[in-house]
Amino acid sequence: MVSCVNGYGSSGWTNAHATFYGGSDASGTMGSGACGYGNLYSQGYGTNTAALSTALFNNGLSCGACFEIKCVNDPQWCLPGSIVVTATNFCPPGGWCDPPNHHFDLSQPVFQHIAQYKAGIVPVAYRSAVTNVGGAGDVHSVAIKGSRTRWQGMSRNWGQNWQSNSYLNGQSLSFSHHW
């Protein structure tokens, strides 16, 4: 699991939009999702999660990335403050998620921390937040080494799920990744 911490990248704020999905208890966000994290509650992500538009998802490289998001420029619907979410899913093209839009489809509980439910969609500003594993979630390669093998590259299955076709049962494993 990748979790977000209170720290922010050097980049400034970028404009986007946000909607919500999954119901008031976020149960609709708990499927496997495009990042392959499975049940987000049991994996420790809770409801601070987002599906990203094509422009942000980056073919799965953004899975696990953290973003600080605040509602902006809509005093009728915006609430003060910001949220930090982890990218756990892909918002498929159609409407607001069409390229080149920057869009976050948030779980409903976290959306309601920055905007009123009735708004449906709000303008937001976002920036990258730091993860507790030293990167922004965009892992480009992973290697694995068994106690009886050499280092070998793993292949991306989807999102940030990686696989090895080597037989490594009964071995101590080491992993290496590159951002």
Side-chain angles (χ1 to χ4, degrees), residues 12-105:
W13 294 92
T14 302
N15 291 325
H17 284 89
T19 51
F20 64 85
Y21 74 114
S24 61
D25 62 354
S27 60
T29 66
M30 293 299 137
S32 61
C35 293
Y37 295 142
N39 184 299
L40 301 175
Y41 289 133
S42 64
Q43 295 299 322
Y45 290 98
T47 60
N48 283 30
T49 60
L52 305 181
S53 64
T54 301
L56 293 169
F57 191 68
N58 196 17
N59 292 318
L61 289 176
S62 294
C63 288
C66 298
F67 299 91
E68 181 185 20
I69 302 170
K70 61 183 178 179
C71 187
V72 296
N73 304 324
D74 195 343
Q76 179 182 0
W77 302 115
C78 289
L79 299 174
S82 65
I83 54 173
V84 177
V85 297
T86 304
T88 59
N89 205 347
F90 174 60
C91 182
W96 290 102
C97 291
D98 277 347
N101 295 332
H102 287 214
H103 186 81
F104 295 89
D105 204 6

Side-chain angles (χ1 to χ4, degrees), residues 67-155:
F67 299 91
E68 181 185 20
I69 302 170
K70 61 183 178 179
C71 187
V72 296
N73 304 324
D74 195 343
Q76 179 182 0
W77 302 115
C78 289
L79 299 174
S82 65
I83 54 173
V84 177
V85 297
T86 304
T88 59
N89 205 347
F90 174 60
C91 182
W96 290 102
C97 291
D98 277 347
N101 295 332
H102 287 214
H103 186 81
F104 295 89
D105 204 6
L106 305 169
S107 71
Q108 183 180 332
V110 77
F111 177 88
Q112 289 183 267
H113 284 283
I114 60 167
Q116 295 178 47
Y117 171 84
K118 289 183 179 182
I121 182 165
V122 292
V124 297
Y126 74 93
R127 63 183 175 181
S128 180
V130 178
T131 66
N132 70 355
V133 293
D138 50 354
V139 175
H140 290 271
S141 65
V142 177
I144 188 170
K145 180 187 179 312
S147 53
R148 297 186 302 271
T149 67
R150 295 179 180 206
W151 284 104
Q152 49 194 295
M154 297 179 75
S155 59

